[in-house]
Amino acid sequence: MKNKGKIFIFVLAAILAIGVDWQTKLWAKKVLFYIRSKTYLDGHFMLDYAENKGAALSFGANLPENQAFWVLQILPMVLLLLIVIHF
């Protein structure tokens, strides 16, 4: 497979993964936010709503909102864009 085909598949998979992630987060906010927990399979599987204001392991959760926006949203986007341009 040519490089352009591999890049296309990678970008398509990334967009699909991001879309699924956003949709599950929207579903959790819509459904789980208002209830204590939701159980499935006779109580063997349980969903609880939890929100992490930071990144992995709550990194940046205590940053002011303006700084958190730049560090946790804009900086990763710029870095990913630079990586894509590099490749």
Side-chain angles (χ1 to χ4, degrees):
M1 184 181 289
K2 294 182 180 180
N3 284 340
K4 287 185 181 183
K6 289 179 183 179
I7 291 171
F8 175 76
I9 290 173
F10 172 77
V11 169
L12 187 64
I15 290 170
L16 181 64
I18 291 169
V20 168
D21 178 60
W22 282 350
Q23 288 302 313
T24 56
K25 287 177 182 177
L26 289 173
W27 175 82
K29 284 185 179 181
K30 183 191 267 186
V31 175
L32 297 176
F33 183 77
Y34 298 104
I35 59 175
R36 185 172 187 154
S37 64
K38 195 161 182 82
T39 58
Y40 299 95
L41 299 175
D42 200 25
H44 289 87
F45 183 71
M46 182 171 50
L47 290 176
D48 285 324
Y49 182 79
E51 192 169 319
N52 180 6
K53 297 288 186 182
L57 301 174
S58 294
F59 170 76
N62 296 326
L63 288 174
E65 190 174 332
N66 187 32
Q67 288 179 353
F69 172 76
W70 287 98
V71 172
L72 300 175
Q73 292 185 22
I74 301 301
L75 182 63
M77 252 191 317
V78 169
L79 292 175
L80 286 173
L81 182 63
L82 291 174
I83 289 170
V84 168
I85 290 171
H86 175 73
F87 286 109

